[in-house]
Amino acid sequence: MNQTTVNGIQMSYGDEGRGTALVLVHGFPLSRKAWGRQAGLPGCRVITPDLAGFGQSDARSGRVTMDQFADDVHALLVGFQSGPVILAGHSMGGYIALAFARKYPALLRGLVLVGTKAGPDTPEGAAGRRATADKVKAGGVGVVTAVMAPKMLAGGTGDPALVAAVLGMMAGATPEGVIGALLGMAERPDSTPWLATLTKPVLVVTGANDVLIPAAESEKLAAALPQATLRVIPEAGHLVAWEQPAAFNEALTGWVAGLAA
Ligand code: MLT
């Protein structure tokens, strides 16, 4: 585990391998452990931050916008002096990756959007997030993790060992982190109108059986992007990179190799 100070907080991150810089941003309420099956990708330097308030990184107080999370990832990369990177974001990590692409295009070589979408919350969805934030204040992060862990998987609740593994990826989530991200996601802007202006290459990946952000969202995303490749991975849910690592890693490394060619 590595640690550094970014924008006033201690951020933990993984940094393994050599080659093309590939930054993997986890979803909510996960941690960099969600990318445990992407370690050792051939020809890649794999950088996996724990977002503020998740995994082993310090929390911020109050609402944390997608722009703030993107600023933290940016500060980490500036510290590395890595040059332009391939940035992959899963779900909330995808909202953050889109914010990063808007704010820091010079540091971006390509984007990988995994199980995510460009649209904002509906008013009802945003209100639901605020209500959940209040429940977390009163009852702790288990209010969220117990509900979300089974929904991350294609098979749902079927296998307690798999659900326990996902809960392990959520173990470092703090109440401040969960509340801050819920309030930040509730306010995130609609990225849809901006997609047509994103001229970088994008790989869009989804699990065919994602129940949290259905595959149709990824199809919409890919259709709205000028330079997108869409991969729909069978027998995978929201946590596609962990559930089907061979197919996911093959899609990712194949696409990265195509960029380098
Ligand atoms: C995630 O996995 O990051 C969340 O499902 C995203 C969301 O709640 O919109």
Side-chain angles (χ1 to χ4, degrees), residues 192-220:
T192 314
W194 167 83
L195 293 177
T197 69
L198 178 57
T199 52
K200 309 278 164 141
V202 185
L203 173 65
V204 180
V205 187
T206 181
N209 311 108
D210 191 332
V211 293
L212 284 175
I213 299 187
E217 290 287 352
S218 289
E219 286 161 15
K220 257 192 346 204

Side-chain angles (χ1 to χ4, degrees), residues 2-29:
N2 308 284
Q3 276 202 321
T4 189
T5 304
V6 298
N7 300 327
I9 62 157
Q10 279 290 105
M11 178 177 257
S12 297
Y13 61 95
D15 185 1
E16 284 173 23
R18 286 188 182 190
T20 306
L22 182 60
V23 183
L24 307 177
V25 181
H26 65 78
F28 171 89

Side-chain angles (χ1 to χ4, degrees), residues 162-177:
L162 291 181
V163 174
V166 177
L167 284 168
M169 299 171 201
M170 299 175 172
T174 61
E176 296 80 9

Side-chain angles (χ1 to χ4, degrees), residues 71-205:
D71 290 347
D72 290 345
V73 173
H74 177 256
L76 181 70
L77 297 180
V78 167
F80 289 160
Q81 298 185 316
S82 64
V85 301
I86 294 169
L87 181 64
H90 170 236
S91 199
M92 180 180 79
Y95 311 155
I96 296 165
L98 287 168
F100 185 103
R102 238 186 349 253
K103 291 189 83 172
Y104 304 113
L107 249 193
L108 194 67
R109 197 162 155 217
L111 205 54
V112 184
L113 298 172
V114 185
T116 193
K117 59 186 172 186
D121 280 1
T122 60
E124 300 73 34
R129 293 217 206 253
R130 292 188 188 105
T132 305
D134 286 339
K135 285 190 199 145
V136 172
K137 234 176 256 171
V141 298
V143 168
V144 168
T145 57
V147 174
M148 283 195 78
K151 291 188 183 166
M152 294 259 160
L153 302 165
T157 54
D159 187 336
L162 291 181
V163 174
V166 177
L167 284 168
M169 299 171 201
M170 299 175 172
T174 61
E176 296 80 9
V178 169
I179 291 167
L182 282 167
L183 299 180
M185 284 195 283
E187 283 195 7
R188 73 185 191 283
D190 185 2
S191 295
T192 314
W194 167 83
L195 293 177
T197 69
L198 178 57
T199 52
K200 309 278 164 141
V202 185
L203 173 65
V204 180
V205 187

